[in-house]
Amino acid sequence: MPELPEVESIRVGVAAAVTDKTIFEVQVFHPRVVRRVPGGADALVEALSGQRVSATRRRGKFIWFEFADAALPWLVVHLGMSGQLLVDDVAFDNATRSYPAGRGHERARFDFLADDGSRTRLRFIDQRTFGFLALSVPTRAADSRLVPQLLAHIAPDALELSLENLASRLSGSAREVKRLLLDQGVVSGIGNIYADEALYAARINPSARHLGVGRANRLAVAVRDVLSSALAAGGTSFDALYRNASGEAGYFDRSLVVYGREGQPCPTCGTVIVSVPFAGRHSHFCPRCQAR
DNA sequence: CCTGCCGCCTGCGCGC
DNA sequence: TGCGCGCAGGCGGCAG
């Protein structure tokens, strides 16, 4: 589910809550969440108990935690289609004594202790269990940034790359441009929502190939604008599956022009927005403004 | 080597 | 009303 703006919104809240705090208890409630940890839940608990978080970072849709003990592998979190990281019980409604949707899908839990003795709970919640936790040693990515080895194969994300670099990655290829946008090895952080919104903003058909310099530059600018606007809005929440670390919804759904807007008029030309099958999902676009 | 497709899951909404 | 099907913010592995 979550794309770069959602994952970054979550990371900011989690970083504020757990940086320079020590994990004193780890619990795993579903085996699938640790399917990429050799040794499973026991190994995760053994590795992390007593460790102090020194930083919380992100590339694309991956979040990871670094530790004060430099000999320790880093803790990588991917949220998949429906993952959430919730801090404490801030989303718990004391009036109704109930949790928001998702509370029933808590897959893992980390309890932190601060130097002042206060405690903080971090819950990993994931309805569909496509998300996962992993331990991974640091390595140099192709751009020389230090990242967990597990994600060394993905490209820098759309907000890390310069406009020139992003444009060059999107120009010239014989592949359909939307496949390039979704390919985390080309540029990371973009998913189906923001791919469609950026292509609309740049007036480019999702199936276009061999983008020239002009269209590639336009698309690079559109990608950056859409992602940064969505980040400023706290991400896109069109149901209960995306919430930030404090349990709050983002409001970029109000700014979506094509994603989920099929049947509605294009704000530019009035033509009806369409939704067509594309690479196992759907593309949403204006058939006139984004004609092939 | 590169590209595209399938499987992995659960829950929801729509149509019959 | 109920049920079955299709669909959903993603990724990795594998076949061609």
Side-chain angles (χ1 to χ4, degrees), chain A residues 16-239:
Chain A
V18 308
T19 304
D20 295 326
K21 293 181 184 174
T22 299
I23 298 173
F24 69 89
E25 186 169 12
V26 180
Q27 291 171 275
V28 174
F29 305 117
H30 194 297
R32 253 181 75 76
V33 76
V34 290
R35 64 191 179 279
R36 299 188 62 177
V37 179
D42 290 347
L44 189 79
V45 170
E46 169 66 22
L48 298 180
S49 296
Q51 301 298 331
R52 183 184 178 97
V53 171
S54 58
T56 304
R57 306 194 194 281
R58 181 192 58 76
R59 167 163 275 189
K61 305 170 194 174
F62 287 83
I63 288 175
W64 70 89
F65 299 87
E66 300 176 7
F67 298 97
D69 179 354
L72 198 67
W74 293 343
L75 171 63
V76 177
V77 180
H78 196 286
L79 300 172
M81 291 281 272
S82 57
Q84 305 181 340
L85 285 172
L86 283 183
V87 171
D88 275 332
D89 276 340
V90 285
F92 185 81
D93 185 340
N94 281 307
T96 62
R97 302 297 299 168
S98 66
Y99 289 90
R103 173 60 182 80
H105 302 293
E106 185 174 6
R107 308 304 187 190
R109 176 188 297 175
F110 301 87
D111 284 305
F112 290 85
L113 190 61
D115 291 340
D116 65 3
S118 64
R119 294 175 177 214
T120 301
R121 174 164 289 175
L122 181 64
R123 306 168 187 278
F124 180 73
I125 289 157
D126 188 9
Q127 177 192 102
R128 293 174 68 185
T129 71
F130 286 159
F132 59 86
L133 305 175
L135 295 171
S136 186
V137 297
T139 192
R140 295 269 168 208
D143 66 328
S144 85
R145 184 178 166 190
L146 212 51
V147 301
Q149 194 164 50
L150 192 78
L151 55 110
H153 64 290
I154 74 167
D157 67 48
L159 296 184
E160 290 180 286
L161 292 169
S162 68
L163 279 177
E164 299 73 28
N165 192 333
L166 178 55
S168 77
R169 288 163 186 259
L170 299 174
S171 69
S173 173
R175 298 171 66 195
E176 294 168 297
V177 63
K178 185 172 171 183
R179 289 184 189 270
L180 295 180
L181 290 174
L182 294 176
D183 185 341
Q184 306 297 296
V186 172
V187 50
S188 66
I190 304 168
N192 209 31
I193 296 178
Y194 300 115
D196 284 356
E197 292 298 318
L199 286 165
Y200 174 79
R203 303 295 190 267
I204 295 170
N205 188 279
S207 296
R209 304 169 194 261
H210 300 290
L211 264 62
V213 173
R215 285 197 299 173
N217 282 336
R218 232 166 58 221
L219 183 55
V221 169
V223 164
R224 179 177 289 190
D225 285 352
V226 166
L227 292 179
S228 54
S229 299
L231 179 55
T236 300
S237 302
F238 36 66
D239 58 27

Side-chain angles (χ1 to χ4, degrees), chain A residues 258-279:
Chain A
V258 289
Y259 188 88
R261 299 284 189 261
E262 60 268 30
Q264 299 180 28
C266 166
T268 302
C269 73
T271 304
V272 172
I273 301 296
V274 297
S275 171
V276 303
F278 185 97

